[in-house]
Amino acid sequence: EAQLVESGGNLVQPGGSLRLSCAASGFTFSSFEMNWVRQAPGKGLEWLSYITSSGSTAYYADSVKGRFTMSRDNAKNLLYLQMNSLRAEDTAVYYCSKGYAGTVWGQGTLVTVSS
Amino acid sequence: IQMTQSPSSLSASVGDRLTITCRASHDISDHLAWFQQKPGKAPKSLIYGASRLQSGVPAKFSGSGSGTDFTLTISSLQPEDFATYYCLQYDSYPFTFGPGTKVDIK
């Protein structure tokens, strides 16, 4: 069964950095594109970024472009989201999901940006 | 591409037939997915490709549409179906979610 497990969420000060990880199992990770999605407290879902199966290309939402970088290590079945210049409005639960259509999701990891 | 959903919320009874609409600002072919989310839980995939049922999802859920107008139908609402439903377009970047439709018990 395909499974995704996010980690790395934490409390961080404004302007700080954090790297999230997403561990994949139960499917051929290197064959699938992946996404990051977030959900601020009490709000809807916000798509953040997508990466091709090879990791050669990534796309970003305007809200995080230039601050967040998505990458992957297919040998380790790991997906990453490097988040820099964090702002209070980045406070959210962050999810990774499998495939264009997000057919499998992790349980999420909470990022809180506050002084 | 902007995504809208209607209604934004609704109250329904067990056994009701429910239809939620999602509209895209541009043609997205059939590159649309539907998700169910319960409080404190991760979203769950229901439909992809506008009408393809995700493995393990009950057949009471169905999706239809193409181009700009899409619907999610639940044929007979059960207690476990009370949740928030989101659509997602994955036709072009940036992908975008609809604002969600909250379904609660009447």
Side-chain angles (χ1 to χ4, degrees):
Chain A
E1 178 187 358
Q3 188 174 10
L4 299 171
V5 178
E6 301 92 340
S7 62
N10 211 334
L11 171 65
V12 60
Q13 291 188 339
S17 297
L18 207 58
R19 188 177 82 159
L20 305 183
S21 299
C22 169
S25 61
F27 65 100
T28 305
F29 179 68
S30 59
S31 296
F32 289 90
E33 53 287 329
M34 299 290 292
N35 299 280
W36 285 100
V37 174
R38 71 183 177 187
Q39 186 169 38
K43 302 297 185 183
L45 300 172
E46 180 186 12
W47 177 87
L48 295 181
S49 59
Y50 156 98
I51 193 167
T52 57
S53 57
S54 67
S56 61
T57 305
Y59 299 91
Y60 300 92
D62 287 346
S63 58
V64 303
K65 198 176 298 181
R67 299 188 300 125
F68 290 12
T69 303
M70 187 177 186
S71 62
R72 64 192 297 162
D73 184 335
N74 284 344
K76 295 181 179 178
N77 288 353
L78 286 170
L79 180 72
Y80 301 106
L81 185 67
Q82 176 67 42
M83 304 187 295
N84 299 330
S85 303
L86 283 162
R87 307 165 180 166
E89 55 264 36
D90 295 319
T91 294
V93 175
Y94 285 71
Y95 298 100
C96 57
S97 71
K98 167 182 174 267
Y100 285 106
T103 53
V104 178
W105 292 61
Q107 85 290 346
T109 188
L110 177 63
V111 173
T112 303
V113 183
S114 175
S115 55
Chain B
I1 296 176
Q2 307 301 317
M3 305 299 292
T4 57
Q5 281 183 240
S6 60
S8 57
S9 64
L10 67 93
S11 295
S13 301
V14 172
D16 283 354
R17 179 183 178 87
L18 193 63
T19 297
I20 297 169
T21 297
C22 182
R23 177 163 290 172
S25 61
H26 295 82
D27 187 335
I28 60 169
S29 184
D30 64 351
H31 301 139
L32 185 103
W34 289 98
F35 302 92
Q36 176 194 67
Q37 188 179 35
K38 297 179 180 179
K41 300 294 187 181
K44 174 187 174 184
S45 173
L46 299 175
I47 301 280
Y48 64 97
S51 60
R52 294 171 172 80
L53 197 65
Q54 184 62 232
S55 175
V57 173
K60 62 181 175 180
F61 291 96
S62 63
S64 65
S66 67
T68 60
D69 294 320
F70 302 86
T71 59
L72 172 70
T73 299
I74 309 172
S75 61
S76 177
L77 208 60
Q78 297 302 306
E80 62 270 20
D81 302 328
F82 291 95
T84 301
Y85 293 84
Y86 295 93
C87 60
L88 165 73
Q89 72 80 16
Y90 53 95
D91 183 73
S92 60
Y93 307 104
F95 295 170
T96 40
F97 286 93
T101 295
K102 185 176 182 180
V103 178
D104 60 23
I105 301 174
K106 185 182 292 183

